[in-house]
Coordinates of all heavy atoms in Angstrom, one line a residue:
M1372 N 86.3 131.4 94.6 CA 87.0 130.1 94.3 C 88.4 130.1 95.0 O 89.1 131.0 94.9 CB 87.1 129.8 92.8 CG 87.7 128.5 92.5 SD 87.4 128.1 90.8 CE 89.0 127.6 90.3
F1373 N 88.7 129.0 95.7 CA 89.9 128.8 96.3 C 91.1 128.7 95.3 O 91.0 127.9 94.4 CB 89.9 127.6 97.2 CG 91.2 127.2 97.9 CD1 91.8 128.1 98.7 CD2 91.8 126.0 97.6 CE1 93.0 127.7 99.3 CE2 93.0 125.6 98.2 CZ 93.6 126.5 99.1
K1374 N 92.1 129.5 95.6 CA 93.3 129.4 94.7 C 94.5 129.1 95.6 O 95.0 130.0 96.3 CB 93.5 130.7 93.9 CG 92.5 130.9 92.9 CD 92.8 132.1 92.0 CE 91.6 132.3 91.0 NZ 91.9 133.3 90.0
P1375 N 95.0 127.9 95.7 CA 96.1 127.5 96.6 C 97.3 128.4 96.2 O 97.6 128.6 95.0 CB 96.4 126.1 96.3 CG 95.1 125.6 95.7 CD 94.5 126.7 94.9
K1376 N 98.0 128.8 97.3 CA 99.3 129.6 97.1 C 100.4 129.0 98.0 O 100.7 129.7 99.0 CB 99.0 131.1 97.4 CG 98.0 131.7 96.4 CD 97.8 133.2 96.8 CE 96.8 133.8 95.8 NZ 96.5 135.1 96.2
P1377 N 100.9 127.9 97.7 CA 101.9 127.3 98.5 C 103.2 128.2 98.4 O 103.4 128.9 97.4 CB 102.2 125.9 98.0 CG 101.7 126.0 96.6 CD 100.6 127.0 96.5
I1378 N 104.0 128.2 99.5 CA 105.2 128.9 99.5 C 106.1 128.3 98.4 O 106.3 127.1 98.3 CB 105.9 128.9 100.9 CG1 105.0 129.6 101.9 CG2 107.3 129.5 100.8 CD1 105.4 129.5 103.3
D1379 N 106.8 129.2 97.6 CA 107.7 128.7 96.6 C 108.9 128.1 97.2 O 109.7 128.8 97.8 CB 108.0 129.9 95.6 CG 108.9 129.5 94.5 OD1 109.2 128.2 94.3 OD2 109.4 130.4 93.8
T1380 N 109.1 126.8 97.0 CA 110.3 126.1 97.5 C 111.2 125.6 96.4 O 112.1 124.8 96.6 CB 109.9 124.9 98.4 OG1 109.1 124.0 97.6 CG2 109.1 125.4 99.6
S1381 N 111.0 126.2 95.2 CA 111.7 125.6 94.0 C 113.2 125.9 94.1 O 114.0 125.1 93.4 CB 111.1 126.3 92.7 OG 111.3 127.7 92.7
S1382 N 113.6 126.8 94.9 CA 115.1 127.1 95.0 C 115.8 126.2 96.0 O 117.0 126.2 96.0 CB 115.3 128.6 95.4 OG 114.8 128.8 96.7
V1383 N 115.0 125.4 96.7 CA 115.6 124.5 97.8 C 116.0 123.2 97.2 O 115.1 122.5 96.5 CB 114.6 124.4 98.9 CG1 115.2 123.4 100.0 CG2 114.2 125.7 99.5
K1384 N 117.2 122.8 97.4 CA 117.7 121.5 97.0 C 118.0 120.7 98.3 O 118.6 121.2 99.2 CB 118.9 121.6 96.2 CG 118.8 122.5 94.9 CD 117.7 121.9 94.0 CE 117.6 122.8 92.8 NZ 116.2 123.0 92.3
L1385 N 117.5 119.5 98.3 CA 117.7 118.6 99.5 C 118.9 117.8 99.4 O 119.3 117.3 98.3 CB 116.5 117.7 99.7 CG 115.1 118.4 100.0 CD1 114.1 117.4 100.2 CD2 115.2 119.3 101.2
S1386 N 119.6 117.6 100.5 CA 120.8 116.7 100.5 C 120.4 115.3 100.3 O 119.2 114.9 100.4 CB 121.5 116.9 101.9 OG 120.7 116.4 102.9
D1387 N 121.3 114.4 100.1 CA 121.1 113.0 99.9 C 120.4 112.4 101.2 O 119.5 111.6 101.1 CB 122.3 112.2 99.6 CG 122.8 112.5 98.2 OD1 122.1 113.1 97.3 OD2 124.0 112.2 97.9
D1388 N 120.9 112.9 102.3 CA 120.3 112.4 103.6 C 118.8 112.7 103.7 O 118.0 111.9 104.1 CB 121.1 113.0 104.8 CG 122.4 112.3 105.0 OD1 122.7 111.3 104.4 OD2 123.2 112.9 105.8
L1389 N 118.5 114.0 103.3 CA 117.1 114.4 103.4 C 116.3 113.7 102.3 O 115.1 113.5 102.6 CB 117.0 115.9 103.3 CG 117.6 116.7 104.5 CD1 117.3 118.2 104.3 CD2 116.9 116.2 105.8
M1390 N 116.9 113.4 101.2 CA 116.1 112.6 100.2 C 115.8 111.2 100.7 O 114.7 110.7 100.4 CB 116.9 112.6 98.9 CG 117.0 113.9 98.2 SD 115.4 114.6 97.7 CE 115.0 113.6 96.3
E1391 N 116.7 110.6 101.5 CA 116.4 109.4 102.1 C 115.3 109.5 103.2 O 114.4 108.7 103.3 CB 117.6 108.8 102.7 CG 118.6 108.3 101.7 CD 119.9 107.7 102.4 OE1 119.9 107.3 103.5 OE2 120.9 107.7 101.7
L1392 N 115.4 110.6 103.9 CA 114.4 110.9 104.9 C 113.0 111.1 104.3 O 112.0 110.7 104.9 CB 114.7 112.1 105.7 CG 113.8 112.6 106.8 CD1 113.6 111.5 107.9 CD2 114.3 113.9 107.5
K1393 N 113.0 111.6 103.1 CA 111.7 111.8 102.4 C 110.9 110.5 102.3 O 109.7 110.5 102.5 CB 112.0 112.4 101.0 CG 110.8 112.5 100.1 CD 111.1 112.9 98.7 CE 111.7 111.7 98.0 NZ 111.8 111.9 96.6
E1394 N 111.6 109.5 101.9 CA 110.9 108.2 101.8 C 110.4 107.6 103.1 O 109.3 107.1 103.1 CB 111.9 107.1 101.1 CG 111.2 105.9 100.7 CD 110.2 106.1 99.5 OE1 110.3 107.1 98.8 OE2 109.4 105.2 99.3
L1395 N 111.1 107.8 104.2 CA 110.7 107.4 105.5 C 109.4 108.2 105.9 O 108.5 107.7 106.5 CB 111.8 107.5 106.5 CG 113.0 106.6 106.3 CD1 114.1 107.0 107.3 CD2 112.6 105.2 106.5
I1396 N 109.5 109.5 105.6 CA 108.3 110.3 106.0 C 107.1 109.9 105.1 O 106.0 109.9 105.6 CB 108.6 111.8 105.8 CG1 109.7 112.3 106.8 CG2 107.4 112.7 105.8 CD1 110.2 113.7 106.6
A1397 N 107.3 109.7 103.8 CA 106.2 109.3 102.9 C 105.5 108.0 103.5 O 104.3 107.9 103.5 CB 106.7 109.1 101.5
K1398 N 106.3 107.1 103.9 CA 105.8 105.8 104.4 C 105.0 106.1 105.7 O 103.9 105.6 105.9 CB 106.9 104.8 104.7 CG 106.5 103.5 105.3 CD 107.6 102.5 105.4 CE 107.2 101.2 105.9 NZ 108.3 100.2 106.0
N1399 N 105.5 107.0 106.6 CA 104.8 107.3 107.8 C 103.5 108.1 107.5 O 102.5 107.9 108.2 CB 105.7 108.1 108.7 CG 105.2 108.2 110.1 OD1 105.0 107.2 110.8 ND2 104.8 109.4 110.5
V1400 N 103.6 109.0 106.5 CA 102.3 109.7 106.1 C 101.2 108.7 105.7 O 100.1 108.8 106.2 CB 102.6 110.7 104.9 CG1 101.3 111.1 104.2 CG2 103.5 111.8 105.4
H1401 N 101.6 107.7 105.0 CA 100.6 106.7 104.6 C 100.1 105.9 105.8 O 98.9 105.7 106.0 CB 101.2 105.7 103.6 CG 100.3 104.5 103.3 ND1 99.1 104.7 102.6 CD2 100.4 103.2 103.7 CE1 98.5 103.5 102.5 NE2 99.2 102.6 103.2
N1402 N 101.0 105.6 106.7 CA 100.6 104.8 107.9 C 99.7 105.7 108.8 O 98.7 105.2 109.4 CB 101.8 104.3 108.7 CG 102.4 103.1 108.1 OD1 101.7 102.1 107.8 ND2 103.7 103.2 107.7
V1403 N 100.0 107.0 108.9 CA 99.1 107.9 109.7 C 97.7 108.0 109.1 O 96.7 107.9 109.7 CB 99.8 109.3 109.9 CG1 98.8 110.3 110.4 CG2 101.0 109.2 110.8
W1404 N 97.7 108.1 107.7 CA 96.5 108.2 107.0 C 95.7 106.9 107.2 O 94.5 106.9 107.5 CB 96.8 108.4 105.5 CG 95.5 108.3 104.7 CD1 94.6 109.3 104.3 CD2 95.1 107.1 104.0 NE1 93.6 108.7 103.6 CE2 93.9 107.4 103.3 CE3 95.6 105.8 103.9 CZ2 93.2 106.5 102.6 CZ3 94.9 104.8 103.2 CH2 93.7 105.2 102.5
A1405 N 96.3 105.8 107.0 CA 95.7 104.5 107.1 C 95.1 104.3 108.5 O 94.0 103.8 108.7 CB 96.6 103.3 106.8
L1406 N 95.9 104.6 109.6 CA 95.4 104.4 110.9 C 94.1 105.3 111.2 O 93.2 104.9 111.8 CB 96.5 104.8 111.9 CG 96.1 104.6 113.4 CD1 95.7 103.1 113.7 CD2 97.3 105.0 114.3
Q1407 N 94.2 106.5 110.7 CA 93.0 107.4 110.8 C 91.8 106.8 110.1 O 90.7 106.8 110.7 CB 93.3 108.8 110.2 CG 92.2 109.8 110.4 CD 92.6 111.2 110.0 OE1 93.7 111.5 109.7 NE2 91.6 112.0 109.8
R1408 N 92.0 106.3 108.9 CA 90.8 105.7 108.2 C 90.3 104.5 109.0 O 89.1 104.3 109.1 CB 91.3 105.3 106.8 CG 91.6 106.4 105.8 CD 90.4 107.3 105.7 NE 90.7 108.5 104.9 CZ 91.1 109.6 105.5 NH1 91.3 109.7 106.8 NH2 91.4 110.7 104.8
I1409 N 91.2 103.6 109.4 CA 90.7 102.5 110.2 C 90.0 102.9 111.4 O 88.9 102.3 111.8 CB 92.0 101.6 110.6 CG1 92.5 100.9 109.3 CG2 91.6 100.5 111.6 CD1 93.9 100.2 109.5
N1410 N 90.5 103.9 112.1 CA 89.8 104.4 113.3 C 88.4 105.0 113.0 O 87.5 105.1 113.8 CB 90.6 105.5 114.0 CG 91.8 104.8 114.8 OD1 91.8 103.6 115.1 ND2 92.8 105.6 115.0
E1411 N 88.3 105.5 111.7 CA 87.0 106.0 111.3 C 86.0 104.9 110.7 O 84.9 105.2 110.3 CB 87.2 107.0 110.2 CG 87.9 108.3 110.6 CD 88.3 109.2 109.5 OE1 88.3 108.8 108.3 OE2 88.8 110.3 109.8
G1412 N 86.5 103.7 110.8 CA 85.7 102.6 110.4 C 85.9 102.1 108.9 O 85.1 101.2 108.4
W1413 N 86.9 102.6 108.3 CA 87.2 102.2 106.9 C 87.8 100.8 106.9 O 88.5 100.5 107.8 CB 88.1 103.2 106.2 CG 87.4 104.4 105.8 CD1 87.0 105.5 106.6 CD2 87.0 104.8 104.5 NE1 86.4 106.5 105.9 CE2 86.4 106.1 104.6 CE3 87.2 104.2 103.2 CZ2 85.9 106.8 103.5 CZ3 86.7 104.9 102.1 CH2 86.1 106.2 102.2
T1414 N 87.6 100.0 105.8 CA 88.2 98.7 105.7 C 88.7 98.6 104.2 O 88.4 99.5 103.4 CB 87.2 97.6 105.9 OG1 86.1 97.7 105.0 CG2 86.7 97.6 107.4
Y1415 N 89.5 97.6 104.0 CA 90.0 97.3 102.7 C 88.9 96.9 101.7 O 88.0 96.1 102.1 CB 91.1 96.2 102.7 CG 91.5 95.8 101.3 CD1 92.5 96.6 100.6 CD2 91.0 94.7 100.6 CE1 92.9 96.2 99.3 CE2 91.3 94.4 99.4 CZ 92.3 95.2 98.7 OH 92.7 94.8 97.4
G1416 N 88.9 97.4 100.5 CA 88.0 97.0 99.5 C 88.7 97.1 98.1 O 89.6 97.9 98.0
K1417 N 88.2 96.3 97.2 CA 88.9 96.3 95.9 C 88.8 97.7 95.1 O 89.6 98.0 94.3 CB 88.4 95.2 95.0 CG 88.8 93.8 95.5 CD 88.6 92.8 94.4 CE 89.0 91.4 95.0 NZ 90.3 91.0 94.6
K1418 N 87.7 98.4 95.5 CA 87.6 99.8 94.9 C 87.1 100.7 96.0 O 86.4 100.3 97.0 CB 86.6 99.8 93.7 CG 85.2 99.4 94.0 CD 84.4 99.4 92.7 CE 82.9 99.2 93.1 NZ 82.0 99.4 92.1
K1419 N 87.3 102.0 95.8 CA 86.9 103.0 96.8 C 85.4 103.1 96.8 O 84.8 103.3 95.7 CB 87.5 104.3 96.6 CG 87.2 105.3 97.7 CD 87.9 106.6 97.5 CE 87.5 107.6 98.7 NZ 88.1 108.8 98.6
D1420 N 84.8 103.0 98.0 CA 83.3 103.2 98.1 C 83.1 103.9 99.4 O 83.3 103.4 100.5 CB 82.6 101.8 98.2 CG 81.1 101.9 98.2 OD1 80.6 102.8 98.9 OD2 80.5 101.1 97.5
S1421 N 82.8 105.2 99.3 CA 82.7 106.1 100.5 C 81.5 105.7 101.3 O 81.5 105.8 102.6 CB 82.6 107.5 100.1 OG 83.8 108.0 99.5
D1422 N 80.5 105.2 100.7 CA 79.3 104.8 101.5 C 79.6 103.6 102.3 O 79.1 103.5 103.5 CB 78.1 104.5 100.5 CG 77.6 105.7 99.8 OD1 77.7 106.8 100.4 OD2 77.1 105.6 98.7
L1423 N 80.3 102.6 101.8 CA 80.7 101.4 102.6 C 82.0 101.6 103.4 O 82.4 100.7 104.1 CB 80.9 100.2 101.6 CG 79.6 99.7 100.9 CD1 80.0 98.6 99.9 CD2 78.6 99.3 101.9
K1424 N 82.6 102.8 103.2 CA 83.9 103.1 103.8 C 84.9 102.0 103.5 O 85.5 101.4 104.4 CB 83.7 103.2 105.3 CG 83.0 104.5 105.8 CD 83.1 104.7 107.3 CE 82.6 106.0 107.7 NZ 82.7 106.3 109.1
Q1425 N 85.1 101.8 102.2 CA 86.1 100.8 101.7 C 87.1 101.5 100.8 O 86.7 102.4 100.0 CB 85.5 99.6 101.0 CG 84.6 98.8 101.9 CD 84.0 97.6 101.2 OE1 83.9 97.6 100.0 NE2 83.7 96.5 102.0
T1426 N 88.3 101.1 100.8 CA 89.3 101.7 99.9 C 90.4 100.6 99.7 O 90.8 99.8 100.5 CB 90.0 102.9 100.5 OG1 91.1 103.4 99.7 CG2 90.6 102.7 101.9
P1427 N 90.9 100.6 98.4 CA 92.0 99.7 98.1 C 93.4 100.1 98.6 O 94.3 99.4 98.5 CB 92.0 99.7 96.6 CG 91.5 101.0 96.2 CD 90.5 101.4 97.3
H1428 N 93.4 101.3 99.3 CA 94.7 101.8 99.7 C 95.0 101.5 101.2 O 96.1 101.9 101.7 CB 94.8 103.3 99.5 CG 94.6 103.6 98.0 ND1 95.6 103.5 97.1 CD2 93.5 104.0 97.4 CE1 95.1 103.9 95.9 NE2 93.8 104.2 96.0
L1429 N 94.2 100.7 101.8 CA 94.5 100.2 103.2 C 95.4 99.0 103.1 O 95.0 97.9 103.4 CB 93.2 99.9 104.0 CG 92.5 101.1 104.6 CD1 91.3 100.7 105.3 CD2 93.5 101.9 105.5
V1430 N 96.6 99.2 102.6 CA 97.6 98.2 102.5 C 98.9 98.8 102.9 O 99.0 100.0 103.0 CB 97.7 97.7 101.0 CG1 96.4 97.0 100.5 CG2 98.1 98.8 100.1
P1431 N 99.9 97.9 103.2 CA 101.2 98.5 103.5 C 101.7 99.4 102.4 O 101.4 99.2 101.2 CB 102.1 97.2 103.7 CG 101.1 96.1 104.0 CD 99.9 96.4 103.3
Y1432 N 102.5 100.4 102.8 CA 103.1 101.3 101.9 C 103.7 100.7 100.7 O 103.5 101.1 99.5 CB 104.1 102.2 102.6 CG 104.7 103.3 101.7 CD1 104.1 104.4 101.4 CD2 106.0 103.1 101.3 CE1 104.7 105.4 100.6 CE2 106.7 104.0 100.5 CZ 106.0 105.2 100.2 OH 106.6 106.1 99.4
E1433 N 104.4 99.6 100.9 CA 105.2 98.9 99.8 C 104.2 98.3 98.8 O 104.6 98.1 97.7 CB 106.0 97.8 100.4 CG 107.2 98.3 101.3 CD 106.7 98.7 102.7 OE1 105.6 98.4 103.2 OE2 107.5 99.4 103.4
E1434 N 103.0 98.1 99.2 CA 102.0 97.5 98.2 C 101.2 98.5 97.5 O 100.3 98.2 96.7 CB 101.1 96.5 99.0 CG 101.8 95.3 99.5 CD 100.9 94.4 100.3 OE1 99.7 94.4 100.1 OE2 101.5 93.7 101.2
L1435 N 101.4 99.8 97.8 CA 100.6 100.9 97.1 C 101.0 101.0 95.7 O 102.2 100.7 95.3 CB 100.9 102.2 97.8 CG 100.2 102.5 99.1 CD1 100.7 103.9 99.6 CD2 98.7 102.5 99.0
P1436 N 100.1 101.4 94.8 CA 100.5 101.7 93.4 C 101.5 102.8 93.5 O 101.5 103.7 94.4 CB 99.2 102.1 92.8 CG 98.1 101.7 93.7 CD 98.7 101.6 95.0
E1437 N 102.4 102.9 92.5 CA 103.4 103.9 92.5 C 102.8 105.3 92.5 O 103.4 106.2 93.1 CB 104.3 103.7 91.2 CG 105.6 104.4 91.3 CD 106.5 104.0 92.5 OE1 106.5 102.8 92.9 OE2 107.3 104.8 93.0
S1438 N 101.7 105.5 91.8 CA 101.0 106.8 91.8 C 100.7 107.3 93.2 O 100.8 108.5 93.5 CB 99.8 106.8 90.9 OG 98.9 105.8 91.4
E1439 N 100.2 106.4 94.1 CA 99.9 106.7 95.5 C 101.1 107.0 96.3 O 101.2 107.9 97.1 CB 99.1 105.6 96.1 CG 97.7 105.5 95.6 CD 96.8 106.8 95.7 OE1 96.8 107.3 96.8 OE2 96.2 107.2 94.8
K1440 N 102.2 106.2 96.0 CA 103.4 106.5 96.7 C 104.0 107.9 96.4 O 104.5 108.6 97.2 CB 104.5 105.4 96.4 CG 104.3 104.1 97.0 CD 105.4 103.2 96.6 CE 105.1 101.7 97.0 NZ 106.2 100.9 96.5
E1441 N 103.8 108.2 95.1 CA 104.3 109.6 94.7 C 103.6 110.7 95.3 O 104.1 111.7 95.6 CB 104.2 109.7 93.1 CG 105.3 109.0 92.4 CD 106.7 109.5 92.8 OE1 106.9 110.7 92.9 OE2 107.6 108.7 93.0
Y1442 N 102.3 110.5 95.6 CA 101.5 111.5 96.3 C 102.1 111.7 97.7 O 102.3 112.9 98.1 CB 100.0 111.1 96.4 CG 99.1 112.1 97.0 CD1 98.6 113.1 96.2 CD2 98.9 112.1 98.4 CE1 97.8 114.1 96.8 CE2 98.0 113.0 98.9 CZ 97.5 114.0 98.2 OH 96.7 115.0 98.7
D1443 N 102.4 110.6 98.4 CA 102.9 110.7 99.8 C 104.4 111.3 99.7 O 104.8 112.1 100.6 CB 102.9 109.3 100.4 CG 101.5 108.8 100.7 OD1 100.6 109.7 100.9 OD2 101.3 107.6 100.8
R1444 N 105.1 110.8 98.7 CA 106.5 111.4 98.6 C 106.5 112.9 98.3 O 107.3 113.6 98.9 CB 107.2 110.7 97.4 CG 107.6 109.2 97.7 CD 108.2 108.6 96.5 NE 108.5 107.2 96.7 CZ 108.3 106.2 95.9 NH1 107.7 106.5 94.7 NH2 108.5 105.0 96.2
N1445 N 105.6 113.3 97.5 CA 105.5 114.8 97.2 C 105.2 115.6 98.5 O 105.7 116.6 98.7 CB 104.5 115.0 96.1 CG 104.6 116.5 95.6 OD1 105.7 117.0 95.3 ND2 103.5 117.2 95.7
T1446 N 104.3 115.0 99.3 CA 103.9 115.7 100.5 C 105.2 115.8 101.4 O 105.5 116.9 102.0 CB 102.8 114.9 101.3 OG1 101.6 114.9 100.4 CG2 102.5 115.5 102.6
A1447 N 105.9 114.7 101.5 CA 107.1 114.7 102.4 C 108.1 115.7 101.8 O 108.8 116.4 102.5 CB 107.7 113.3 102.5
Y1448 N 108.3 115.6 100.5 CA 109.4 116.4 99.8 C 109.1 117.9 100.0 O 110.0 118.6 100.4 CB 109.3 116.0 98.3 CG 110.4 116.7 97.4 CD1 111.7 116.5 97.7 CD2 110.0 117.4 96.3 CE1 112.7 117.0 96.9 CE2 111.0 118.0 95.5 CZ 112.3 117.8 95.8 OH 113.2 118.4 95.0
E1449 N 107.9 118.3 99.7 CA 107.5 119.7 99.9 C 107.6 120.2 101.3 O 108.0 121.3 101.6 CB 106.2 120.0 99.2 CG 106.2 119.9 97.7 CD 107.2 120.9 97.1 OE1 107.3 122.0 97.5 OE2 107.8 120.5 96.1
T1450 N 107.2 119.3 102.2 CA 107.3 119.7 103.6 C 108.8 119.9 104.1 O 109.1 120.9 104.7 CB 106.7 118.6 104.5 OG1 105.3 118.5 104.2 CG2 106.8 118.9 106.0
L1451 N 109.7 119.0 103.7 CA 111.1 119.1 104.0 C 111.7 120.4 103.3 O 112.4 121.1 104.0 CB 111.9 117.9 103.5 CG 111.7 116.6 104.3 CD1 112.3 115.4 103.6 CD2 112.4 116.8 105.7
K1452 N 111.3 120.7 102.1 CA 111.8 121.9 101.4 C 111.3 123.1 102.1 O 112.0 124.1 102.3 CB 111.4 121.8 99.9 CG 112.2 120.8 99.1 CD 111.8 120.7 97.7 CE 111.5 121.9 97.0 NZ 111.2 121.7 95.5
L1453 N 110.0 123.1 102.6 CA 109.5 124.3 103.3 C 110.2 124.5 104.6 O 110.6 125.6 104.9 CB 108.0 124.1 103.6 CG 107.3 125.2 104.4 CD1 107.4 126.5 103.6 CD2 105.9 124.8 104.7
I1454 N 110.5 123.4 105.3 CA 111.3 123.6 106.6 C 112.6 124.2 106.3 O 113.0 125.2 107.0 CB 111.5 122.2 107.2 CG1 110.1 121.6 107.7 CG2 112.5 122.2 108.4 CD1 110.1 120.2 108.1
I1455 N 113.3 123.8 105.3 CA 114.6 124.4 104.9 C 114.4 125.9 104.5 O 115.2 126.8 104.9 CB 115.3 123.6 103.8 CG1 115.6 122.2 104.3 CG2 116.6 124.3 103.4 CD1 116.4 122.0 105.5
K1456 N 113.4 126.1 103.7 CA 113.2 127.5 103.1 C 112.9 128.4 104.3 O 113.3 129.6 104.2 CB 112.0 127.4 102.2 CG 111.5 128.7 101.7 CD 112.2 129.1 100.5 CE 111.6 130.4 99.9 NZ 112.1 130.7 98.6
L1457 N 112.2 128.0 105.3 CA 111.9 128.8 106.5 C 113.1 129.0 107.4 O 112.9 129.8 108.4 CB 110.7 128.3 107.2 CG 109.4 128.3 106.4 CD1 108.3 127.6 107.2 CD2 109.0 129.7 106.0
G1458 N 114.2 128.4 107.1 CA 115.4 128.7 107.9 C 115.7 127.7 109.0 O 116.7 127.8 109.7
Y1459 N 114.9 126.6 109.0 CA 115.2 125.6 110.0 C 116.3 124.6 109.5 O 116.5 124.5 108.3 CB 113.9 124.8 110.3 CG 112.9 125.6 111.1 CD1 111.9 126.3 110.4 CD2 112.9 125.7 112.4 CE1 111.0 127.1 111.0 CE2 111.9 126.5 113.1 CZ 111.0 127.2 112.4 OH 110.1 128.0 113.0
R1460 N 116.9 123.9 110.4 CA 117.9 122.9 110.1 C 117.4 121.6 110.6 O 116.8 121.5 111.6 CB 119.2 123.2 110.7 CG 119.9 124.4 110.2 CD 121.3 124.6 110.8 NE 121.2 124.2 112.2 CZ 122.1 124.7 113.1 NH1 123.1 125.5 112.7 NH2 122.0 124.3 114.4
I1461 N 117.7 120.6 109.8 CA 117.3 119.2 110.2 C 118.6 118.5 110.5 O 119.4 118.3 109.6 CB 116.5 118.5 109.1 CG1 115.2 119.3 108.9 CG2 116.2 117.1 109.6 CD1 114.4 118.8 107.7
E1462 N 118.8 118.0 111.7 CA 120.1 117.3 112.1 C 119.7 116.0 112.6 O 118.7 115.8 113.3 CB 120.8 118.1 113.1 CG 121.3 119.5 112.6 CD 122.1 120.3 113.6 OE1 122.2 119.8 114.8 OE2 122.5 121.4 113.3
K1463 N 120.6 115.1 112.4 CA 120.5 113.7 112.9 C 121.5 113.6 114.1 O 122.6 114.0 114.1 CB 120.8 112.7 111.9 CG 120.5 111.3 112.3 CD 120.7 110.3 111.2 CE 120.4 108.9 111.6 NZ 120.5 108.0 110.5

């Protein structure tokens, strides 16, 4: 059985600038996901139906339920923390 072992980033604290970047990345993550789904033939539907390739999440990021936004935010957050943990710097 697969046991995920992500790198521990709990000691990493992000600056205010990177916390703002987190939201931009989260929005982009959603847009990349949505574009991929559309390219695979998925369309908007009121409920997810894999057979019909329909999902209610093919909407602009701002219209997503908060729970879905949190999933994208967490992906962005953990990715930024990993970058810092590995010794990289993010500069504007």
